[in-house]
Amino acid sequence: MFPHRHLLGIEGLSPADITTLLDLAETYATANRGSTAPEPVLKGLTQINMFFEASTRTQASFELAGKRLGADVMNMAMQASSLSKGETLIDTALTLNAMHPDLIVVRHPQSGAVNLLASKVNCAVLNAGDGRHEHPTQALLDALTIRRRKGRLHRLTVAICGDIAHSRVARSNMILLGLMENRVRLVGPKTLMPSGLDQMVAETTDDMREGLKDADVVMMLRLQRERMDGGFIPSEREYYHRFGLDAEKLAYARPDAIVMHPGPMNRGVEIDGLLADDINHSVIQEQVEMGVAVRMAAMDLLARTLREARDA
Ligand code: NCD
């Protein structure tokens, strides 16, 4: 049904895998709004959250997702761990592995670190964001939000705007939206466009009017300064003027366009604060809500694979 041991990226998933996961997440979204608790499908399993990089919503939502499904959840404070004493990622992984966890959720500042870790442990690993590489559960929660709001997840025009070069959110979304046969446009200053785009199907422009034309979905990104070494933009004021989304620029898109942002948001830099709160367009809170449902679904599916492997 979901033939994967880990969830390391959108790369490697099929359209059928994505649909399976989103359909299951939809049932959890319904359960989360109601008063009846879902089946504790993770009961007896141990989930360890290892966040080597700051996170608010992703970590909270993985923790809540695990607890709602009955897992024993442990958050490791990675800043305080042996890593700061010089232990390598591999040694940390092997130490944890010896404690027999079932699910490990990892966020790491280096691209590829989560894949490396997954190759050293026996349990299921979920990537909660690695460098500028992938952030699969973010793309899946975005997809679920789009599907709920637009009634479909194909043949939509999606404009992803801002700091594309440093964004694992953009990368995972580009792959997912492409797989589901949508039209993806990347909009941002040339200095913030990734190199080697040719392998990915996307149009690029540094003009918001052109980029947002007829868009069904406008996805805004934060300027990820922690991954920039040097000045990529002249000033925040200038950036907001050209690329910041406000009502005026949103008017280039379709009248029923939805506005998305993975958070954390910098109001007045990439997005106007009023627009971010405008429930006629903004679905930012629904993205957060879907985050819990998607992570419940992802861990449920991986736990099934885990149990099948152990029973075999
Ligand atoms: C994103 C991330 O960490 O990649 N945030 C998130 O997970 N909601 C985007 C960002 O940091 O700008």
Side-chain angles (χ1 to χ4, degrees):
M1 185 189 179
F2 191 77
H4 302 279
R5 260 190 71 199
H6 307 295
L7 181 61
L8 301 176
I10 298 298
E11 203 168 356
L13 298 185
S14 67
D17 294 335
I18 292 167
T19 304
T20 298
L21 202 146
L22 296 185
D23 289 348
L24 182 60
E26 189 72 62
T27 69
Y28 282 130
T30 307
N32 288 346
R33 281 194 182 181
S35 52
T36 45
E39 289 288 313
V41 292
L42 300 183
K43 199 167 166 30
L45 300 185
T46 303
Q47 171 192 341
I48 302 183
N49 296 335
M50 295 168 78
F51 281 68
F52 296 91
E53 206 184 60
S55 169
T56 313
R57 68 217 85 219
T58 306
Q59 182 166 355
S61 121
F62 265 113
E63 181 174 355
L64 207 55
K67 286 182 172 161
R68 285 215 178 130
L69 294 179
D72 293 312
V73 186
M74 187 179 112
N75 289 309
M76 300 250 315
M78 294 319 294
Q79 277 86 347
S81 80
S82 314
L83 266 215
S84 54
K85 300 182 186 165
E87 187 176 75
T88 65
L89 178 64
I90 307 279
D91 284 329
T92 308
L94 294 178
T95 304
L96 282 179
N97 196 45
M99 300 180 200
H100 302 294
D102 304 288
L103 300 149
I104 302 187
V105 180
V106 194
R107 167 169 287 192
H108 199 282
Q110 260 142 19
S111 309
V114 183
N115 293 56
L116 179 67
L117 194 139
S119 69
K120 304 288 174 194
V121 296
N122 303 319
C123 58
V125 176
L126 293 102
N127 183 0
D130 65 322
R132 53 177 87 174
H133 177 225
E134 281 236 37
H135 191 353
T137 55
Q138 179 70 44
L140 288 160
L141 75 87
D142 290 338
L144 183 59
T145 309
I146 294 173
R147 198 175 80 167
R148 287 164 65 97
R149 287 300 181 117
K150 292 285 151 200
R152 65 181 201 272
L153 189 58
H154 59 271
R155 293 208 200 148
L156 294 166
T157 300
V158 182
I160 305 180
C161 312
D163 182 2
I164 319 273
H166 300 100
S167 178
R168 52 197 176 210
V169 175
R171 207 169 167 277
S172 290
N173 263 301
M174 261 185 268
I175 303 171
L176 189 154
L177 293 166
L179 270 176
M180 305 313 271
E181 296 182 9
N182 296 282
R183 179 169 185 184
V184 180
R185 282 203 209 120
L186 306 179
V187 193
K190 291 196 175 75
T191 48
L192 293 177
M193 282 292 166
S195 50
L197 261 181
D198 41 297
Q199 343 137 9
M200 296 180 198
V201 236
E203 304 157 35
T204 61
T205 171
D206 62 357
D207 184 89
M208 285 289 272
R209 181 188 286 265
E210 194 184 312
L212 264 55
K213 190 173 183 301
D214 298 327
D216 299 286
V217 177
V218 182
M219 195 180 282
M220 301 309 297
L221 300 170
R222 185 175 65 89
L223 287 174
Q224 290 142 102
R225 297 196 178 276
E226 72 277 21
R227 288 187 209 112
M228 295 181 192
D229 44 2
F232 282 77
I233 55 159
S235 74
E236 283 187 355
R237 207 159 145 241
E238 153 85 12
Y239 182 81
Y240 181 69
H241 178 69
R242 281 192 62 200
F243 298 101
L245 188 69
D246 56 12
E248 209 178 302
K249 293 196 191 78
L250 184 63
Y252 304 143
R254 284 177 53 101
D256 61 351
I258 56 170
V259 173
M260 306 181 81
H261 195 304
M265 244 186 312
N266 287 316
R267 292 169 188 257
V269 180
E270 71 269 6
I271 191 165
D272 169 53
L274 286 176
L275 181 58
D277 298 329
D278 177 1
I279 54 163
N280 294 317
H281 292 287
S282 170
V283 298
I284 296 171
Q285 295 307 322
E286 187 165 335
Q287 288 174 269
V288 177
E289 183 186 355
M290 291 310 120
V292 179
V294 154
R295 287 162 183 135
M296 288 167 84
M299 290 195 287
D300 179 352
L301 291 173
L302 291 180
R304 294 184 205 185
T305 309
L306 200 68
R307 288 197 169 104
E308 276 163 25
R310 286 177 181 170
D311 292 346

